[in-house]
DNA sequence: ATGCAGATAATCT
DNA sequence: GATTATCTGCATG
């Protein structure tokens, strides 16, 4: 039969700098339980002292500890008071770099992904296929990744529920790179990688400084007069 | 199609 | 107390 056997990626795949792993991750297939996703957009983040935009820039903390662990593990963080984002750790232990999984195409378990992505109360209309994992927080929901999965090993061991497979890498000419999304420092570092023309790639958003609430700025912010 | 504002809490200074 | 590796809904052209 035509059933293609997916080859699991070995740990050594991730034992490289994150900006080398990131573009190589495009087209690979991440499987978590019933849902499989082909990566179409990722971002690399560097280690302490070398990447101001990285969570590890100022060293090890309880939150980013997993990034200082062995490669091939999942780093899941919580942000904006409501979203989870998932990364894959790179380089040997103690380096603190990773690749943020920003978007992908659901290739298996779309019904599961869709129900996870459909809010209880809202959404009378059907969510477009391309939006199921278009953006890092949406991707985490679609794959069912949460805080409890922080530190999980993503290397196929024969028993784990999570693994990354070789998949079909895109045509080299279709891989594009540019500045990372939504960061306030290191804005020019071109460590965002995506597959050109793929509809599941998220729209680029530059960082917008959120203005403090009016109440918080009421004292002492008057210009000279 | 694009743009803005609000949501909402862990984390770090 | 400020910031945040974001998303959604509602507004307008």
């Amino acid at each position: 039969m035509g059933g293609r056997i997916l080859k699991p990626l070995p740990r050594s795949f991730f034992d490289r700098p994150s900006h080398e792993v990131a573009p190589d991750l495009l087209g690979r297939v991440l499987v978590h339980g019933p849902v499989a996703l082909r990566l179409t957009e990722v971002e690399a983040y560097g280690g302490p002292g070398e990447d101001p935009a990285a969570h590890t820039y100022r060293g090890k903390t309880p939150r980013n500890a997993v990034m200082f662990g062995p490669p091939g593990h999942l780093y899941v963080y919580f942000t904006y008071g409501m979203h989870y984002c998932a990364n894959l750790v790179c380089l040997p232990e103690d380096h603190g770099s990773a690749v943020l999984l920003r978007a992908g195409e659901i290739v298996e378990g779309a019904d599961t992904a869709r129900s996870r992505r459909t809010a209880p109360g809202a959404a009378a209309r059907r969510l477009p296929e391309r939006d199921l994992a278009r953006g890092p927080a949406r991707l985490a929901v679609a794959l069912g990744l949460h805080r409890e999965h922080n530190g999980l090993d993503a290397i196929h061991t024969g028993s784990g529920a999570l693994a990354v497979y070789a998949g079909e890498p895109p045509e080299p000419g279709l891989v594009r790179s540019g500045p990372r999304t939504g960061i306030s420092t290191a804005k020019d570092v071109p460590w965002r990688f995506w597959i050109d023309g793929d509809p599941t790639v998220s729209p680029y958003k530059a960082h917008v400084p959120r203005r403090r609430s009016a109440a918080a700025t009421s004292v002492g912010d008057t210009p000279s007069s």
Side-chain angles (χ1 to χ4, degrees):
Chain A
M1 275 286 301
R4 199 163 39 79
I5 295 175
L6 290 177
K7 238 177 136 174
L9 294 181
R11 196 173 306 284
S12 58
F13 179 91
F14 297 96
D15 195 356
R16 295 179 283 160
S18 57
H19 63 271
E20 287 182 22
V21 173
D24 203 4
L25 225 28
L26 294 173
R28 311 295 185 177
V29 176
L30 185 62
V31 178
H32 183 228
V35 179
L37 169 139
R38 177 175 178 260
L39 289 166
T40 58
E41 182 192 357
V42 296
E43 280 177 3
Y45 285 87
E50 68 178 23
D51 183 6
H55 288 170
T56 54
Y57 184 54
R58 293 167 196 276
K60 191 173 178 178
T61 68
R63 173 173 76 153
N64 66 28
V66 170
M67 282 179 86
F68 289 90
H73 287 248
L74 204 63
Y75 165 54
V76 180
Y77 67 90
F78 182 69
T79 190
Y80 287 99
M82 62 192 90
H83 299 304
Y84 291 97
C85 296
N87 302 248
L88 288 168
V89 176
C90 297
L91 285 173
E93 251 179 280
D94 292 331
H95 284 260
S97 66
V99 174
L100 171 68
L101 310 177
R102 286 200 58 88
E105 172 196 1
I106 304 291
V107 294
E108 217 174 287
D111 47 350
T112 301
R114 188 183 304 280
S115 63
R116 285 171 175 162
R117 284 271 293 119
T118 303
R125 76 181 195 291
R126 189 179 167 86
L127 208 53
E129 194 80 17
R130 81 178 98 201
D131 287 344
L132 290 178
R134 195 184 190 207
R138 291 163 162 186
L139 180 150
V141 170
L143 278 173
L145 298 175
H146 299 273
R147 181 183 289 285
E148 65 187 283
H149 299 107
N150 187 37
L152 199 61
D153 193 357
I155 303 306
H156 180 76
T157 58
S159 61
L162 177 70
V164 190
Y165 296 87
E168 295 179 41
E171 300 284 329
L174 289 182
V175 175
R176 297 290 139 88
S177 67
R180 294 168 291 181
T181 298
I183 53 173
S184 57
T185 55
K187 292 176 174 153
D188 296 332
V189 178
W191 280 0
R192 172 178 180 245
F193 303 90
W194 67 95
I195 299 176
D196 192 41
D198 192 292
T200 66
V201 173
S202 72
Y204 174 79
K205 302 271 193 196
H207 176 76
V208 282
R210 271 337 223 108
R211 218 193 144 122
R212 298 186 296 277
S213 69
T217 55
S218 60
V219 178
D221 66 345
T222 36
S224 57
S225 68

